[in-house]
Amino acid sequence: VRQLMKQRRPPGFPPGPSPIPVIGNIMSLATEPHVFLKKQSEIHGQIFSLDLGGILTVVLTGYDCIRECLYNQGDVFADRPSLPLFQKMTKMGGLLNCKYGKGWMEHRKLACNSFRYFGSGQRQFERKISEECMFFVDAIDEHKGKPFNPKHLVTNAVSNITNLIIFGQRFTYDDRNFQHMIEIFSENVELAVSGWALLYNAFPWIEYVPFGKHQKLFRNAAEVYDFLLEVINGFSQGRVPHAPRHYVDAYLDELEQNKVEPGSSFSQENLIYSVGELIIAGTETTTNTLRWAMLYMTLYPNIQERVHREIDSVLENGRAPTLEDKQKMPYVEAVLHEILRFCNIVPLGIFRATSQEAKVNGYTIPKGTMVITNLYSVHMDEKYWTDPGVFSPQRFLDSNGNFVKREAFLPFSMGKRCCLGEQLARMEMFLFFTTLLQRFHLQFPPGTVPTVTPKLGMTLQPQPYSICAVRRQQKS
Ligand code: HEM
């Protein structure tokens, strides 16, 4: 009976599909949820509700509606839902999943400052990314144009940029322990939205059911935690207080300060959670973007050729790209933007919650309600895009071939909880992509054409594919 009571929508709540008793609309998230939810919005409106096994959830659709909530009412929509799974994983602490309040503010500020101080604010940081780009293309060269799956190399190379900020060091491409950690962590990103995880959130007692994917998720999380604890201890050796070398040192300074002025949210546990979140948020997303980019360049040889032409004309005599070259490469910029729009790396954003009662479009949403932002629906919004279902970098160029920003483009979301790694991700994508295509022509192994159907999870990634990276002769 309690379950049924919880299912009832409160007065003024947005409408939605009728729930099946007990499990509600959980099944609606089973296959391509972002596509399904967009279709549902055509029936129920831009703002509608779902019952996820007793957890009433509001879904926001389209650019106007998402902007109204995340931007115009930034504070109101800045919380994260206290789902049993998140409570178990990070006790609603850390950074990415932290409740909206002092703890989140302290962690976000420290992370942003560290990203600036140890990252983009340092003159030699760009050189370090370029160095990683070289390790990356050299490792690809070892395949000598033969088919290989680029997933692990891209993951390693991309995560090393975040590693520089967090630990002050990169991990070599043969570091099996680090690779294993990333692998099971990223498996958890997939499992976090699997049917089992949704069921766990609705019925936390299934924790005691000894089989099921939720058990795998818990085991992985425990293993990642132990690995990070060890690595953090290693990298904090030789620390000099108030002379931080990286994010971990900066965090430990705050932690010590905490002993003098108690009451802050910095703790050993939150250090481990936030390090884990920064690593996975930075790696999974940027890696998937680059893997999609490689796949689409191979699928559209004429687009790849135009990228090659632009790269060759700007980077004379095959010199390495720098961030300054970005303004001179509007076509590369357009391609990367269209990949982010079309491939929808984080299709439903990261679940939000209302921090107080919200009023939107005449509806009333109580405090603490879970909110899903359908970012995919923004990128497919017919009001802002013509033929949104067509892959066309051209839409980011004006008639003179200059790059143009588009409003309904939210791969990094918006508002208080927007992606804090956007700037870093943009640097990485540009430098990795141009370095890669400067050196190679990408093509499928003869007789194969991989599918573009994504693998489902919190993030969308291509199904594993093999590719041939053939060294090109540069025309200058
Ligand atoms: C949050 C996308 C790269 C760190 C987010 C969110 C999205 C997103 C959609 C959810 C924001 C919300 O709640 O509405 C992306 C994409 C990336 C990328 C598409 C690459 C192409 C990165 C990188 C880092 C990072 C490189 C750091 C190394 C974070 C963190 C959050 C976040 C910490 C949580 C922010 C908070 O809760 O305050 N990202 N991201 N992301 N991202 Fe990214």
Side-chain angles (χ1 to χ4, degrees), residues 156-170:
N156 271 306
V158 163
S159 63
N160 271 345
I161 309 303
T162 329
N163 290 334
L164 283 175
I165 296 177
I166 297 175
F167 305 120
Q169 264 184 55
R170 65 186 292 272

Side-chain angles (χ1 to χ4, degrees), residues 70 80 95-98 104 108 115 162 277-279 281-283 285-286 289 340 345-346 349-352 373 375 410-414 416-422 424-425 428-429:
L70 298 200
R80 299 274 185 224
L95 164 59
L96 185 141
N97 255 326
C98 190
W104 170 74
R108 175 126 183 159
F115 272 59
T162 329
E277 288 169 342
L278 287 169
I279 291 179
T283 302
T285 47
T286 316
T289 313
L340 286 170
I345 316 296
V346 198
I350 299 175
F351 297 161
R352 299 267 191 130
T373 54
L375 300 179
L410 299 181
F412 301 99
S413 188
M414 74 192 316
K416 299 255 172 190
R417 300 294 292 240
C418 71
C419 177
L420 72 74
E422 174 172 350
L424 183 67
E428 290 179 37
M429 286 182 300

Side-chain angles (χ1 to χ4, degrees), residues 233-269:
N233 284 338
F235 284 109
S236 55
Q237 297 292 316
R239 176 177 86 92
V240 177
H242 307 296
R245 299 158 296 179
H246 41 62
Y247 174 79
V248 170
D249 275 0
Y251 196 106
L252 292 171
D253 278 344
E254 296 290 341
L255 200 61
E256 275 178 8
Q257 187 67 18
N258 193 13
K259 285 191 192 128
V260 192
E261 289 169 48
S264 90
S265 59
F266 297 110
S267 67
Q268 177 72 21
E269 211 172 34

Side-chain angles (χ1 to χ4, degrees), residues 10 13-14 47 58 60 68-82 99-101 105 352-360 363-371 416-417:
F13 204 68
I47 173 160
V58 168
L60 307 177
E68 167 59 27
C69 296
L70 298 200
Y71 190 78
N72 296 353
Q73 302 196 44
D75 281 320
V76 183
F77 286 88
D79 209 351
R80 299 274 185 224
S82 306
K99 293 301 284 177
Y100 182 56
M105 248 170 268
R352 299 267 191 130
T354 44
S355 61
Q356 60 194 72
E357 185 182 88
K359 299 241 187 261
V360 194
Y363 296 121
T364 305
I365 307 165
K367 176 181 171 168
T369 304
M370 173 149 132
V371 177
K416 299 255 172 190
R417 300 294 292 240

